[in-house]
Amino acid sequence: MKKITKEDIEKVDPSKKDLGKNWIKVGMSTCGVAAGADEVYAALIDEAKKRNIEIDIRKCGCQGACSVEPLVEVNVEGLPKVLYGRVTKDVAVTILERHVRNKKLLHDYIFEIN
Amino acid sequence: MEKKIIYIRDTDSAQKERINDYFTLFSNELRDANLLEQVQLVKVADIGLYEKGVAVKIIPENIVYSGIKTTDVKEIVEETIRGGKIIKDLLCGKKSKQLRAVLKNCGYIDPESLEDYIAAGGYKALVKVLTEMKPEAVVEELKKSGLRGRGGAGYPTWMKWNFARGMNSPEKYVICNGDEGDPGAYMDRSVLEGDPHSVLEGMIIAGYTIGSTKGYFYIRAEYPLAVERVQKAIDQATSAGLLGNNILGSNFNFELEIRLGAGAFVCGEETSLIASIEGKRGTPHPRPPYPSVKGLWGKPTIINNVETLANIPLLIAGGGTKFASVGTEKSKGTKVFALTGKVKNSGLVEVPMGITLREIVYDIGGGIINNRDIKAIQTGGPSGGVIPQEFLDTPVDYENLGKLGSIMGSGGMIAIDDTDCLVDLAKFYLEFCVDESCGKCAPCRLGGYQLLQILKKISGGNGELEDLNRLKKISYAMQKASLCGLGQSASNPVFSTIRYFEEEYKRHIVDKKCPAGKCKALISFKVISEKCKKCGLCMKNCPANAITGSREAGYIVDSQKCIKCGVCFDVCKFKAVMKE
Amino acid sequence: MVKKDKLQADLEGLVKKWKDKKGNLIMILHSIENIYGYVPRDTSIKLSRLLDVPLARIYEVITFYNYFKLEPPAKHNVAVCMGTACYLKNAASLIEEIEKILHIKEGQSTKDGMFHLDVVRCLGCCGLAPVMMIDEKVYGKVKKSEIVDILSKYVKEEE
Ligand SMILES: Cc1cc2nc3c(=O)[nH]c(=O)nc-3n(C[C@H](O)[C@H](O)[C@H](O)COP(=O)(O)O)c2cc1C
Ligand code: SF4
Ligand code: SF4
Ligand code: FES
Ligand code: FES
């Protein structure tokens, strides 16, 4: 990795931090993985490729709603950012098709906590 | 019209079908108003409100209505959706009670990416410290912030750092305490796994401030993922020049190394932890000398909790005064809790100090499972105590929890309902402490054992009233005479349960009954003949063949044979088996 | 016994890697435990020679920490969490159930060396209580009735 300089750090404006418009994040801490987040993550990557759906799929840490893991957060342009809980492989596929491709939110999996 | 989304949710847990009626109602109204194209109606699994009737949230305006009646639906569609007007009567004054500061990156950035952390403003505090702040200035900022240790005792962080800074020694050490021994708490794990660089940054700043060039992460071996992520973060920081020699072009050098715990609770105590890093048995030493004077390998050392360190970058970047604007008079900033037990939404919450326990359990946690009554809250794990339901409106800070006989602890918060027995809970914690006592000093080694025997006697139905005094006496002796915090606080769960729930103890001792139905020796199962439908299911399922009878005569439990497994109680569909 | 020969070579490498670091004993023991699942006596003896520390010192450390074992592990380690969150969600009944199915008590292994039952304190997934872990796999929100199926999966794997 290249050395980082003071300027590299100073020039960052976190308020402008932009993850891009379209992304999916999977909570992958111990409890997420215990609940099956690794399978969900793998399924998202595989299926997105298979279905030609272009979206940035990333890992992240604890999102707080540990009792409804696995948690998947989805941001798609034109829709609010959404946290899905109790996501299974099947639900992951539905997220790709329904939410990402067709811009329709899924029923019964959204957790709007705080 | 701009595209809209309506979230809909029935927040009453007792209602199951009602939501579908509302969903249909809304769809019909939207269709009639010709809005189906512009509006998405979505059933959600949680809307952040509890027991407030049917609720909707309208996006993008973020208008939340609750307690909606069927007659309101039309108005909502007409007025708010189409007309953009707010209906005041339905408005729900919902404010987020959480305040994510330490956890702001957790669940947001990729913990395995240094670029992500930097893009979120990471390492800015380090740059600031290295370029424009003298160590004294860092201490001054900490002092202004009022930050206190998040590992349990709440010792002011600036004092600890200032002691170590003032020591004249070429070798000093910084240790991050990631032992997280409290069973039932996992705040530190989440931070280490979700945002490891924030803790690294805190440690580097600590090193600079006290004049140390070497730091250790002490992480329990039971957290392999945390270890992996921290190691990755250290490697990244090292190759990026954020660790090593001449960090960011300054003349400050600092390196970090991980050491693993090996399954000993007492190693969370700072002097034991030091012994453990030194490769020895983790037994405590008397203090003073404090680690900041004579710590790791006899050199001045500061030990801080994971969450304390994760607060540092935040505090430096935003300034101490800003940090101190959140919280109560003596407890500043936020605190992360692992909210578990009988609460509906168990999970990790971060709240400003001074929020009440009730807000945490009901507004964030969604209340108690099955809407049962809350009996108490336990904080501080095996070193803490219980806080009964009548004190739920107490604002959470170090002093208040201490006054109530508990402690802030590292952040375990456990909701206890009326099906939990507090004698059994005290016994549970004590078993833990007896297991974990290192055995070095007698008050803890022997006292803990004796306390446990007495509790076993009480829950076994052989208690005498005098036992309560014995418990108090031994507890007191342990508090006063034990060598380390483990022994000094091991009796807290006993002390505090007796303090608030003496009646429950007496029921065990005098009436030989366990009101919660938990202590096996004190409960019995009985078929209530008036309710029994004579289906025979209980007899079929009883593993001890303790239930006899016939479809004509009905069934009875033979208390001599009954092993109190409770299967009959569970299988009976007519609630005809009684447990008392 | 291939594995063992390999480790003995490793042992020297391991000691070399850690030799210059202070307080290395626990970290070396962790590496050994990771390979064998326990710390064999002959390894300790070798280690004592390589590191030039008395055997008693090594045993003093091994026996203090719960993480280090002196007995070889069973094929599958079943660890049921009895941390506070799991305790309140009746993890005790899971333990009873497993004891009943496998005919062992906590801390024991089945005669065929297939399963070992451990009771542990908090696996850090309290949100999913009650929790148990078999080898590296964590099972959350476990119901008593599911245990037979979970365990038999491991037995079937063998066949
Ligand atoms: C028995 C016992 C166990 C402890 N366990 C922990 C622990 O797991 N994590 C922790 O941060 N502090 C623990 N502590 C507190 C530490 O000794 C120490 O006070 C703390 O790490 C200091 O950090 P702070 O000032 O940042 O809170 C424990 C203390 C005792 C007596
Ligand atoms: S109080 Fe208990 S844990 Fe602490 S030194 Fe004494 S025996 Fe050991
Ligand atoms: S299961 Fe219930 S209803 Fe059926 S025989 Fe037993 S007590 Fe009666
Ligand atoms: S650690 Fe899983 S969401 Fe909290
Ligand atoms: S108490 Fe069981 S996982 Fe934490």
Coordinates of all heavy atoms in Angstrom, one line a residue, chain A residues 1-6 9-10 12 14 17 25 28-31 58-64 66-67 73 79-80 82 103-108 110-114, chain B residues 5 7 23 40-48 57 98 100 106-110 116 118-120 123-124 127 131 186 189 193 225 229 239-240 248 346-348:
Chain A
M1 N 0.8 -1.2 0.0 CA 0.0 0.0 0.0 C 0.9 1.3 0.0 O 2.0 1.3 0.6 CB -0.9 0.0 1.3 CG -1.9 1.0 1.2 SD -2.8 1.1 2.8 CE -4.0 -0.3 2.5
K2 N 0.4 2.3 -0.6 CA 1.2 3.5 -0.7 C 1.1 4.3 0.6 O 0.1 4.2 1.3 CB 0.9 4.3 -1.9 CG -0.2 5.3 -1.7 CD -0.2 6.3 -2.9 CE -1.2 7.4 -2.9 NZ -1.6 7.9 -1.7
K3 N 2.1 4.9 1.0 CA 2.1 5.7 2.2 C 1.0 6.8 2.1 O 0.8 7.4 1.1 CB 3.5 6.4 2.4 CG 4.6 5.4 2.7 CD 4.7 5.1 4.1 CE 5.9 4.1 4.3 NZ 5.6 3.0 5.2
I4 N 0.4 7.0 3.2 CA -0.6 8.1 3.3 C 0.0 9.3 3.9 O 0.8 9.2 4.8 CB -1.8 7.6 4.1 CG1 -2.6 6.6 3.3 CG2 -2.7 8.7 4.5 CD1 -3.7 5.9 4.0
T5 N -0.3 10.5 3.3 CA 0.3 11.7 3.9 C -0.8 12.5 4.6 O -2.0 12.2 4.5 CB 0.8 12.6 2.7 OG1 -0.3 13.0 1.9 CG2 1.8 11.9 1.9
K6 N -0.3 13.5 5.4 CA -1.2 14.3 6.1 C -2.2 14.9 5.2 O -3.4 15.0 5.5 CB -0.4 15.5 6.7 CG 0.2 15.1 8.0 CD 0.9 16.4 8.5 CE 1.9 15.9 9.6 NZ 2.9 16.9 9.9
I9 N -5.2 12.9 4.3 CA -6.3 12.8 5.3 C -7.0 14.2 5.4 O -8.2 14.2 5.6 CB -5.6 12.4 6.6 CG1 -5.1 11.0 6.5 CG2 -6.6 12.5 7.8 CD1 -4.2 10.5 7.7
E10 N -6.2 15.3 5.4 CA -6.8 16.6 5.7 C -7.8 17.0 4.6 O -8.8 17.7 4.8 CB -5.7 17.6 5.8 CG -5.2 17.7 7.2 CD -4.0 18.6 7.3 OE1 -3.3 18.8 6.3 OE2 -3.7 19.0 8.5
V12 N -9.9 15.3 3.0 CA -11.2 14.6 3.0 C -12.3 15.4 3.7 O -12.0 16.0 4.7 CB -11.0 13.2 3.8 CG1 -12.4 12.6 3.9 CG2 -10.1 12.3 3.0
P14 N -15.7 14.6 5.2 CA -16.5 13.4 5.5 C -18.0 13.7 5.2 O -18.8 12.8 4.9 CB -16.3 13.1 7.0 CG -15.6 14.2 7.6 CD -14.9 15.0 6.5
K17 N -18.8 12.5 2.0 CA -18.5 11.1 1.7 C -19.6 10.5 0.9 O -20.8 10.6 1.2 CB -18.4 10.3 3.0 CG -18.1 8.9 2.8 CD -17.8 8.2 4.1 CE -18.1 6.7 4.1 NZ -17.3 5.9 3.2
K25 N -25.2 -3.2 1.5 CA -24.2 -3.5 2.6 C -24.8 -4.6 3.5 O -25.9 -4.6 3.9 CB -24.0 -2.3 3.4 CG -22.8 -1.5 2.9 CD -22.4 -0.4 3.8 CE -23.5 0.5 4.2 NZ -23.1 1.8 4.7
M28 N -21.6 -7.9 8.7 CA -20.8 -9.2 8.8 C -20.0 -9.2 10.1 O -18.8 -9.5 10.1 CB -19.9 -9.3 7.6 CG -20.6 -9.4 6.3 SD -21.0 -11.0 5.8 CE -19.6 -11.5 4.9
S29 N -20.6 -8.9 11.3 CA -19.9 -9.2 12.5 C -20.3 -10.6 12.9 O -21.1 -11.3 12.3 CB -20.1 -8.2 13.6 OG -20.8 -7.1 13.2
T30 N -19.7 -11.0 14.1 CA -19.9 -12.4 14.5 C -21.3 -12.8 14.5 O -21.7 -13.8 14.0 CB -19.3 -12.5 16.0 OG1 -18.0 -12.2 15.9 CG2 -19.5 -14.0 16.4
C31 N -22.2 -11.9 15.0 CA -23.6 -12.4 15.2 C -24.3 -12.4 13.8 O -25.1 -13.2 13.6 CB -24.4 -11.6 16.2 SG -24.8 -9.9 15.7
R58 N -21.1 -4.6 -0.5 CA -20.0 -4.5 0.5 C -20.3 -5.1 1.8 O -21.5 -5.4 2.1 CB -19.7 -3.0 0.7 CG -20.1 -2.1 -0.5 CD -20.1 -0.7 -0.1 NE -18.9 0.0 -0.6 CZ -18.0 0.7 0.2 NH1 -18.2 0.8 1.5 NH2 -17.0 1.3 -0.3
K59 N -19.3 -5.2 2.6 CA -19.5 -5.7 4.0 C -19.4 -4.5 4.9 O -18.8 -3.5 4.7 CB -18.3 -6.6 4.4 CG -18.1 -7.8 3.6 CD -16.9 -8.6 4.1 CE -16.6 -9.8 3.2 NZ -15.4 -10.4 3.6
C60 N -20.1 -4.7 6.1 CA -19.9 -3.7 7.1 C -20.1 -4.3 8.5 O -20.3 -5.5 8.6 CB -20.9 -2.5 6.9 SG -22.6 -3.0 7.3
G61 N -20.0 -3.5 9.5 CA -20.0 -4.0 10.9 C -21.5 -4.0 11.4 O -22.4 -4.0 10.7
C62 N -21.5 -3.9 12.7 CA -22.8 -4.0 13.5 C -23.7 -2.9 13.2 O -23.4 -1.7 13.3 CB -22.5 -4.1 14.9 SG -24.0 -4.0 16.0
Q63 N -25.0 -3.2 12.8 CA -25.9 -2.1 12.5 C -26.9 -2.0 13.7 O -27.8 -1.1 13.7 CB -26.7 -2.4 11.2 CG -25.8 -2.3 10.0 CD -26.1 -3.4 9.0 OE1 -26.4 -4.5 9.3 NE2 -26.1 -3.0 7.7
G64 N -26.7 -2.8 14.7 CA -27.5 -2.6 15.9 C -28.7 -3.5 16.2 O -29.0 -3.7 17.3
C66 N -29.4 -6.5 16.3 CA -28.8 -7.8 16.3 C -29.8 -9.0 16.4 O -29.6 -10.0 15.9 CB -27.9 -8.0 17.5 SG -26.8 -6.6 17.7
S67 N -31.0 -8.7 16.9 CA -32.0 -9.8 17.0 C -32.6 -10.2 15.7 O -33.3 -11.2 15.6 CB -33.0 -9.6 18.1 OG -33.7 -8.5 17.8
E73 N -28.5 -3.6 4.2 CA -28.9 -2.3 3.9 C -28.8 -2.0 2.4 O -27.8 -2.4 1.8 CB -28.0 -1.3 4.7 CG -28.7 0.1 4.9 CD -27.9 1.0 5.8 OE1 -26.7 0.7 6.0 OE2 -28.4 1.9 6.3
L79 N -34.9 5.8 -4.2 CA -35.6 5.2 -3.1 C -34.9 5.5 -1.8 O -33.8 5.8 -1.8 CB -35.6 3.7 -3.3 CG -36.4 3.1 -4.5 CD1 -36.2 1.6 -4.6 CD2 -37.9 3.4 -4.3
P80 N -35.7 5.5 -0.7 CA -35.0 5.7 0.6 C -34.0 4.6 0.9 O -34.2 3.5 0.4 CB -36.2 5.8 1.6 CG -37.2 5.0 0.9 CD -37.1 5.2 -0.6
V82 N -32.8 1.7 3.0 CA -33.6 0.8 3.7 C -32.8 -0.3 4.4 O -31.8 -0.8 3.8 CB -34.6 0.1 2.6 CG1 -35.2 -1.2 3.2 CG2 -35.7 1.1 2.2
K103 N -37.2 -1.4 -8.5 CA -37.4 -0.2 -7.7 C -38.7 -0.3 -6.8 O -39.4 0.6 -6.6 CB -37.4 1.1 -8.5 CG -36.2 1.2 -9.4 CD -35.6 2.5 -9.3 CE -34.3 2.5 -10.0 NZ -33.4 3.5 -10.0
K104 N -39.0 -1.5 -6.4 CA -40.1 -1.7 -5.5 C -39.6 -2.2 -4.1 O -38.8 -3.2 -4.1 CB -41.1 -2.7 -6.0 CG -41.8 -2.3 -7.3 CD -43.2 -1.8 -6.9 CE -44.0 -1.3 -8.1 NZ -44.2 0.1 -8.1
L105 N -40.0 -1.7 -3.1 CA -39.5 -2.2 -1.8 C -40.2 -3.5 -1.4 O -41.3 -3.7 -1.8 CB -39.8 -1.1 -0.7 CG -39.2 0.3 -0.9 CD1 -39.5 1.2 0.2 CD2 -37.7 0.1 -1.1
L106 N -39.5 -4.3 -0.6 CA -40.1 -5.5 -0.2 C -41.0 -5.3 1.0 O -40.7 -4.5 1.9 CB -39.0 -6.5 0.3 CG -38.3 -7.3 -0.8 CD1 -37.6 -6.4 -1.8 CD2 -37.4 -8.3 -0.2
H107 N -42.1 -6.1 1.1 CA -43.0 -6.1 2.2 C -42.4 -6.9 3.4 O -41.7 -7.9 3.1 CB -44.3 -6.7 1.9 CG -45.1 -5.8 1.0 ND1 -45.5 -4.5 1.4 CD2 -45.6 -6.0 -0.2 CE1 -46.2 -4.0 0.4 NE2 -46.3 -4.8 -0.6
D108 N -42.6 -6.5 4.6 CA -42.4 -7.4 5.8 C -40.9 -7.6 6.2 O -40.7 -8.3 7.1 CB -43.0 -8.7 5.6 CG -44.5 -8.7 5.5 OD1 -45.1 -7.7 6.1 OD2 -45.1 -9.5 4.8
I110 N -38.6 -4.8 6.2 CA -37.9 -3.5 6.5 C -38.0 -3.2 8.0 O -39.0 -3.3 8.6 CB -38.6 -2.3 5.7 CG1 -38.4 -2.5 4.2 CG2 -38.0 -1.0 6.2 CD1 -39.0 -1.5 3.4
F111 N -36.9 -2.8 8.5 CA -36.8 -2.4 9.9 C -36.4 -1.0 10.0 O -35.3 -0.6 9.7 CB -35.8 -3.3 10.7 CG -36.3 -4.7 11.0 CD1 -36.3 -5.6 10.0 CD2 -36.9 -5.0 12.2 CE1 -36.8 -6.9 10.2 CE2 -37.5 -6.3 12.4 CZ -37.4 -7.2 11.4
E112 N -37.4 -0.2 10.4 CA -37.2 1.3 10.5 C -36.9 1.6 12.0 O -37.8 2.2 12.7 CB -38.4 2.0 10.1 CG -38.4 2.4 8.7 CD -37.6 3.7 8.5 OE1 -38.0 4.7 9.0 OE2 -36.6 3.6 7.8
I113 N -35.8 1.2 12.5 CA -35.6 1.5 13.9 C -34.8 2.7 14.1 O -33.6 2.8 13.7 CB -34.9 0.3 14.6 CG1 -34.1 -0.5 13.6 CG2 -36.0 -0.7 15.2 CD1 -33.4 -1.6 14.2
N114 N -35.3 3.6 14.8 CA -34.7 4.9 15.1 C -34.1 5.5 13.9 O -32.9 5.6 13.7 CB -33.6 4.7 16.2 CG -34.2 4.2 17.4 OD1 -34.9 4.9 18.1 ND2 -34.0 2.9 17.7
Chain B
I5 N -43.4 7.2 -0.7 CA -43.5 5.8 -0.2 C -44.2 5.9 1.1 O -44.0 6.9 1.9 CB -42.1 5.2 0.0 CG1 -41.4 5.0 -1.4 CG2 -42.1 4.0 0.8 CD1 -40.0 4.6 -1.3
Y7 N -44.7 3.8 4.5 CA -44.5 2.6 5.3 C -45.7 2.4 6.2 O -46.2 3.3 6.8 CB -43.3 2.8 6.2 CG -41.9 2.7 5.5 CD1 -40.8 3.2 6.2 CD2 -41.8 2.1 4.3 CE1 -39.5 3.2 5.6 CE2 -40.5 2.0 3.7 CZ -39.4 2.6 4.3 OH -38.2 2.5 3.7
F23 N -54.0 -2.2 5.0 CA -53.3 -2.2 3.8 C -54.2 -2.1 2.6 O -54.1 -1.3 1.7 CB -52.4 -3.5 3.7 CG -51.5 -3.5 2.5 CD1 -50.3 -2.9 2.5 CD2 -51.8 -4.2 1.3 CE1 -49.4 -2.9 1.4 CE2 -51.0 -4.2 0.2 CZ -49.8 -3.5 0.3
Q40 N -45.7 4.1 -3.4 CA -45.5 2.7 -3.0 C -46.0 2.5 -1.6 O -45.6 3.3 -0.7 CB -44.0 2.4 -3.1 CG -43.6 1.8 -4.4 CD -42.2 1.2 -4.2 OE1 -41.9 0.4 -3.3 NE2 -41.3 1.6 -5.0
L41 N -46.8 1.5 -1.4 CA -47.3 1.2 -0.1 C -46.5 0.0 0.4 O -46.6 -1.0 -0.2 CB -48.8 1.0 -0.1 CG -49.5 0.7 1.2 CD1 -49.4 1.9 2.1 CD2 -51.0 0.5 0.8
V42 N -45.8 0.1 1.5 CA -45.0 -1.0 1.9 C -45.3 -1.4 3.4 O -45.2 -0.6 4.3 CB -43.5 -0.6 1.8 CG1 -42.6 -1.8 2.1 CG2 -43.2 -0.1 0.5
K43 N -45.5 -2.7 3.6 CA -45.6 -3.2 4.9 C -44.2 -3.4 5.5 O -43.4 -4.1 4.9 CB -46.4 -4.5 4.9 CG -47.9 -4.4 4.9 CD -48.5 -5.8 5.1 CE -48.7 -6.5 3.7 NZ -49.3 -7.8 3.9
V44 N -44.0 -2.8 6.6 CA -42.6 -2.9 7.2 C -42.7 -3.8 8.5 O -43.7 -3.9 9.1 CB -41.9 -1.6 7.5 CG1 -41.8 -0.8 6.2 CG2 -42.7 -0.8 8.5
A45 N -41.5 -4.3 8.8 CA -41.4 -5.2 10.0 C -41.3 -4.4 11.3 O -41.5 -5.0 12.4 CB -40.3 -6.2 9.8
D46 N -40.8 -3.2 11.2 CA -40.6 -2.4 12.4 C -40.6 -1.0 12.0 O -39.9 -0.6 11.0 CB -39.3 -2.8 13.2 CG -39.3 -2.3 14.6 OD1 -39.7 -1.1 14.8 OD2 -38.9 -3.0 15.5
I47 N -41.3 -0.1 12.8 CA -41.3 1.3 12.4 C -40.8 2.2 13.5 O -40.8 3.4 13.4 CB -42.7 1.7 11.9 CG1 -42.7 2.9 11.0 CG2 -43.6 1.9 13.1 CD1 -44.0 3.0 10.2
G48 N -40.2 1.5 14.5 CA -39.6 2.3 15.6 C -40.6 2.8 16.6 O -40.2 3.6 17.5
K57 N -45.5 5.9 8.0 CA -44.5 6.9 7.8 C -44.4 7.3 6.3 O -44.4 6.4 5.5 CB -43.1 6.3 8.2 CG -42.0 7.3 8.0 CD -40.7 6.7 8.7 CE -39.5 7.7 8.5 NZ -38.3 7.2 9.1
Q98 N -31.7 7.4 20.1 CA -30.3 7.0 20.0 C -29.4 8.1 19.5 O -29.9 9.0 18.7 CB -30.2 5.8 19.1 CG -30.8 4.5 19.7 CD -30.1 3.3 19.1 OE1 -28.9 3.1 19.2 NE2 -30.9 2.3 18.6
R100 N -25.8 8.1 17.7 CA -24.6 7.3 17.3 C -23.4 8.1 17.1 O -23.3 8.9 16.2 CB -25.0 6.5 16.0 CG -25.9 5.4 16.2 CD -25.9 4.4 15.1 NE -26.2 3.1 15.7 CZ -25.7 1.9 15.2 NH1 -24.9 1.9 14.2 NH2 -26.0 0.8 15.7
C106 N -19.9 2.1 12.6 CA -20.2 0.7 12.7 C -21.4 0.4 11.8 O -22.5 1.1 12.0 CB -20.5 0.3 14.1 SG -19.2 -0.5 14.9
G107 N -21.3 -0.4 10.9 CA -22.5 -0.7 10.1 C -22.6 0.3 8.9 O -23.5 0.3 8.2
Y108 N -21.6 1.2 8.8 CA -21.6 2.2 7.8 C -20.4 1.9 6.8 O -20.6 1.8 5.6 CB -21.6 3.6 8.4 CG -21.7 4.7 7.4 CD1 -22.8 4.7 6.5 CD2 -20.8 5.7 7.3 CE1 -22.9 5.7 5.6 CE2 -20.9 6.7 6.4 CZ -22.0 6.7 5.5 OH -22.1 7.7 4.6
I109 N -19.2 1.8 7.4 CA -18.1 1.7 6.6 C -17.7 0.2 6.5 O -18.1 -0.6 7.3 CB -16.9 2.5 7.1 CG1 -16.4 2.0 8.5 CG2 -17.2 3.9 7.1 CD1 -15.1 2.5 8.9
D110 N -16.8 -0.1 5.6 CA -16.3 -1.5 5.5 C -15.1 -1.6 6.5 O -14.1 -0.9 6.3 CB -15.8 -1.7 4.1 CG -15.2 -3.1 3.9 OD1 -15.0 -3.8 4.9 OD2 -14.9 -3.5 2.8
D116 N -12.0 3.4 3.4 CA -13.3 3.8 3.9 C -13.3 4.6 5.2 O -14.0 5.5 5.3 CB -14.1 2.5 4.2 CG -15.2 2.2 3.2 OD1 -15.0 2.7 2.0 OD2 -16.2 1.6 3.5
I118 N -10.8 6.4 6.3 CA -10.3 7.8 6.0 C -11.4 8.6 5.3 O -11.6 9.8 5.7 CB -9.0 7.7 5.2 CG1 -7.9 7.1 6.1 CG2 -8.6 9.1 4.7 CD1 -6.6 7.0 5.4
A119 N -12.1 8.0 4.4 CA -13.1 8.8 3.7 C -14.2 9.2 4.6 O -14.9 10.2 4.4 CB -13.7 7.9 2.6
A120 N -14.4 8.5 5.8 CA -15.4 9.0 6.7 C -14.8 10.0 7.7 O -15.4 10.2 8.8 CB -16.0 7.7 7.4
Y123 N -8.7 9.4 11.0 CA -7.3 9.8 11.2 C -7.1 11.3 11.1 O -6.0 11.8 11.1 CB -6.3 9.0 10.2 CG -6.1 7.6 10.7 CD1 -6.7 6.5 9.9 CD2 -5.5 7.3 11.9 CE1 -6.5 5.2 10.3 CE2 -5.3 6.0 12.3 CZ -5.8 4.9 11.5 OH -5.7 3.7 11.9
K124 N -8.2 12.0 11.0 CA -8.1 13.5 11.1 C -7.6 13.9 12.4 O -6.8 14.9 12.6 CB -9.4 14.2 10.7 CG -9.6 14.4 9.3 CD -10.9 15.2 9.1 CE -11.4 15.3 7.7 NZ -10.5 16.1 6.8
V127 N -3.9 13.5 12.7 CA -3.2 14.6 12.1 C -3.2 15.8 12.9 O -2.1 16.5 13.1 CB -3.8 14.9 10.7 CG1 -3.2 16.1 10.1 CG2 -3.7 13.7 9.7
T131 N 0.2 17.5 14.3 CA 0.7 18.8 13.8 C 0.5 19.9 14.7 O 1.4 20.8 14.7 CB 0.0 19.1 12.4 OG1 -1.4 18.8 12.6 CG2 0.6 18.3 11.3
Y186 N -21.5 -7.3 24.4 CA -20.6 -7.5 23.3 C -20.4 -6.1 22.5 O -20.2 -6.1 21.4 CB -21.2 -8.5 22.3 CG -22.6 -8.2 21.9 CD1 -22.9 -7.6 20.6 CD2 -23.7 -8.4 22.7 CE1 -24.2 -7.3 20.3 CE2 -25.0 -8.1 22.3 CZ -25.2 -7.6 21.1 OH -26.5 -7.3 20.7
R189 N -16.8 -6.0 21.2 CA -16.6 -6.8 20.0 C -17.1 -6.1 18.8 O -16.5 -6.1 17.7 CB -17.4 -8.2 20.2 CG -17.4 -9.0 18.9 CD -18.2 -10.2 19.0 NE -19.6 -10.1 19.1 CZ -20.4 -9.7 18.2 NH1 -19.9 -9.4 17.0 NH2 -21.7 -9.5 18.3
E193 N -14.9 -5.2 15.6 CA -15.2 -5.8 14.3 C -15.8 -4.8 13.3 O -15.6 -5.0 12.1 CB -16.3 -6.9 14.5 CG -15.8 -8.2 15.2 CD -16.9 -9.2 15.4 OE1 -18.0 -9.0 15.0 OE2 -16.6 -10.2 16.0
L225 N -13.0 -13.2 15.0 CA -13.2 -12.3 13.9 C -12.7 -10.9 14.3 O -12.1 -10.2 13.5 CB -14.7 -12.2 13.6 CG -15.1 -11.4 12.3 CD1 -14.5 -12.0 11.1 CD2 -16.6 -11.3 12.2
R229 N -9.8 -8.8 12.3 CA -10.0 -7.5 11.7 C -9.0 -6.5 12.3 O -8.5 -5.6 11.6 CB -11.5 -7.0 12.0 CG -12.5 -7.8 11.3 CD -13.5 -7.0 10.5 NE -14.3 -7.9 9.6 CZ -15.6 -8.1 9.8 NH1 -16.3 -7.5 10.7 NH2 -16.2 -8.9 8.9
S239 N 1.5 -0.4 6.8 CA 2.0 -0.1 5.5 C 1.6 1.2 4.9 O 2.3 1.7 4.0 CB 1.6 -1.3 4.5 OG 0.2 -1.4 4.5
A240 N 0.6 1.9 5.5 CA 0.3 3.2 5.0 C 1.1 4.3 5.8 O 0.9 5.5 5.5 CB -1.2 3.4 5.2
L248 N 3.3 9.9 9.8 CA 2.8 11.1 9.0 C 3.8 12.2 9.0 O 3.5 13.4 9.1 CB 1.5 11.6 9.6 CG 0.2 10.7 9.4 CD1 -0.9 11.2 10.2 CD2 -0.1 10.5 7.9
S346 N -33.6 -7.0 21.0 CA -32.3 -6.9 21.6 C -31.3 -6.5 20.6 O -31.5 -6.7 19.4 CB -32.0 -8.2 22.3 OG -32.0 -9.3 21.4
G347 N -30.3 -5.8 21.0 CA -29.4 -5.3 20.1 C -28.4 -4.3 20.7 O -28.4 -4.1 22.0
L348 N -27.7 -3.6 19.9 CA -26.7 -2.7 20.4 C -27.3 -1.3 20.3 O -27.7 -0.9 19.2 CB -25.5 -2.8 19.5 CG -24.1 -2.5 20.1 CD1 -23.9 -3.6 21.2 CD2 -23.1 -2.7 19.1

